[in-house]
Amino acid sequence: MITSSTWTRFHRVCACAAIGVAVVPGWAAAQSGSGFYLSQEVGLNLAPGVELLGNSNDRASRCDEFINPRFAEVPGCTDPDRGSGAGWKTAYGGAAGLLAGVAAGYRFGERLRVEAEWFHRESEYDQTAPVTSATGDTLGKLDGEIQRADNRLGSISSHSVFANVYVDFPSRSRLTPYVGVGGGVGLTELDYGDLWARNPDPAAIGTAAGLPNEAEVRRNLAATTSSKQGELDDRLTAWQVLGGVDYALSDSVSLGVKARWVRFGRFLAEGIEWERLRSHPSQLRLDGSEPVTFRIRTGDALTFVAASLSMRYAF
């Protein structure tokens, strides 16, 4: 689903693109003999489903001083090597969104051209899905001690810069098909959120079982929540395959349709703090020591396909 906020951002991107080429047509008519050109495009993108994998350096809840003041009596809770947890996984379906871009290029003869391209894409997932274990199994504490464990993926967006090479196939008509390849880098953002909520009934808090202060830990841990909402970002290398056809309106102006398939690397964001961890700051000790962070990565490379309308101005 393409939301109203996405349309607003898309209009801003299109406005920026239009400013860069608005003065070109008059100039192009006077400069049509050279090989330089500018282009702009707007279109839609489709992204496949994505799997997010997470893990953290958190300790067991019974080792949390905010929850268990007697944590030092629990074996392993003061071990300096916390390691990392077993992790969790969330899967989401596909998404659609908008794409807009501009490019500057140079044509070598009739067939070969190169260009530098910038485009912005936003794929709107807007999905909330249950968290599973890293192996895909239902969490053991879910519907018991933990009543809710959900992750949300709002969108995946990227501002990307590419260098592209095209081969044109001129014909006797006004139509010119072409194919191309390119490589580049994209600043990629995930609109991410999670919520873990424990049972408000102290009797359901199995983590406290067997502790000398079991009743206290049950009370302290009941009804606590852990959550995070915000933008996660990573800089990813990418490559793409392009193809399309242009229709010449004049010697200097053409309209066209373009399709592309883009593959980015795997996304990774590290050192993320929860906004609240079991209803307290993202740390294990009252004095602020032992901060707790987590990381989110994608199970596979990020890809999308897009189709757009383009306009090119030759100089």
Side-chain angles (χ1 to χ4, degrees):
M1 178 179 179
I2 301 174
T3 65
S4 59
S5 62
T6 300
W7 280 113
T8 300
R9 288 190 289 271
F10 180 66
H11 292 157
R12 291 174 181 169
V13 171
C14 290
C16 292
I19 290 172
V21 297
V23 298
V24 170
W27 189 14
Q31 303 290 329
S32 57
S34 73
F36 289 102
Y37 67 86
L38 294 179
S39 67
Q40 63 178 344
E41 66 179 285
V42 292
L44 299 175
N45 76 80
L46 295 175
V50 63
E51 187 176 78
L52 296 185
L53 307 175
N55 67 314
S56 78
N57 63 352
D58 193 14
R59 294 184 187 269
S61 301
R62 58 174 56 200
C63 296
D64 184 339
E65 186 177 4
F66 292 85
I67 302 300
N68 180 14
R70 297 172 61 178
F71 72 93
E73 301 174 29
V74 180
C77 283
T78 57
D79 188 335
D81 182 13
R82 284 188 276 171
S84 60
W88 63 90
K89 179 169 65 174
T90 317
Y92 305 90
L98 302 168
L99 178 144
V102 294
Y106 187 85
R107 176 187 299 281
F108 297 90
E110 292 186 344
R111 293 185 176 273
L112 181 65
R113 55 190 169 91
V114 297
E115 71 175 26
E117 176 191 36
W118 168 88
F119 68 78
H120 172 76
R121 71 99 176 193
E122 184 155 4
S123 304
E124 289 284 351
Y125 286 84
D126 195 21
Q127 298 175 36
T128 298
V131 176
T132 67
S133 70
T135 58
D137 301 318
T138 301
L139 294 177
K141 296 180 181 179
L142 198 59
D143 292 328
E145 178 172 329
I146 299 176
Q147 287 192 316
R148 180 177 179 181
D150 293 333
N151 278 6
R152 178 180 178 275
L153 179 59
S155 64
I156 297 179
S157 62
S158 57
H159 291 276
S160 302
V161 178
F162 276 80
N164 302 319
V165 178
Y166 292 94
V167 176
D168 293 335
F169 302 96
S171 66
R172 294 181 180 180
S173 71
R174 291 177 175 265
L175 296 175
T176 303
Y178 62 85
V179 294
V181 294
V185 62
L187 178 59
T188 304
E189 293 185 342
L190 268 65
D191 178 17
Y192 170 86
D194 63 31
L195 176 61
W196 304 65
R198 275 186 162 80
N199 199 311
D201 181 6
I205 308 301
T207 298
L211 293 175
N213 56 336
E214 180 176 327
E216 178 185 28
V217 173
R218 287 182 184 273
R219 290 193 304 270
N220 290 344
L221 197 52
T224 58
T225 59
S226 300
S227 64
K228 171 66 179 181
Q229 177 66 50
E231 298 287 340
L232 310 181
D233 59 79
D234 191 14
R235 184 175 288 103
L236 305 176
T237 56
W239 64 280
Q240 62 180 344
V241 179
L242 309 103
V245 59
D246 286 335
Y247 179 82
L249 298 177
S250 69
D251 289 342
S252 57
V253 180
S254 63
L255 294 176
V257 292
K258 179 190 291 186
R260 72 175 77 213
W261 176 81
V262 188
R263 178 186 175 91
F264 291 88
R266 294 187 180 186
F267 181 94
L268 172 62
E270 299 181 287
I272 311 162
E273 291 189 352
W274 271 284
E275 292 166 353
R276 57 179 182 264
L277 173 66
R278 294 183 284 272
S279 296
H280 61 69
S282 195
Q283 60 199 42
L284 291 169
R285 304 294 173 244
L286 296 175
D287 62 4
S289 62
E290 294 199 48
V292 175
T293 62
F294 67 98
R295 73 173 189 168
I296 292 293
R297 61 186 177 91
T298 55
D300 295 305
L302 295 176
T303 64
F304 73 87
V305 295
S308 58
L309 299 175
S310 63
M311 177 174 286
R312 192 188 320 157
Y313 308 94
F315 291 87

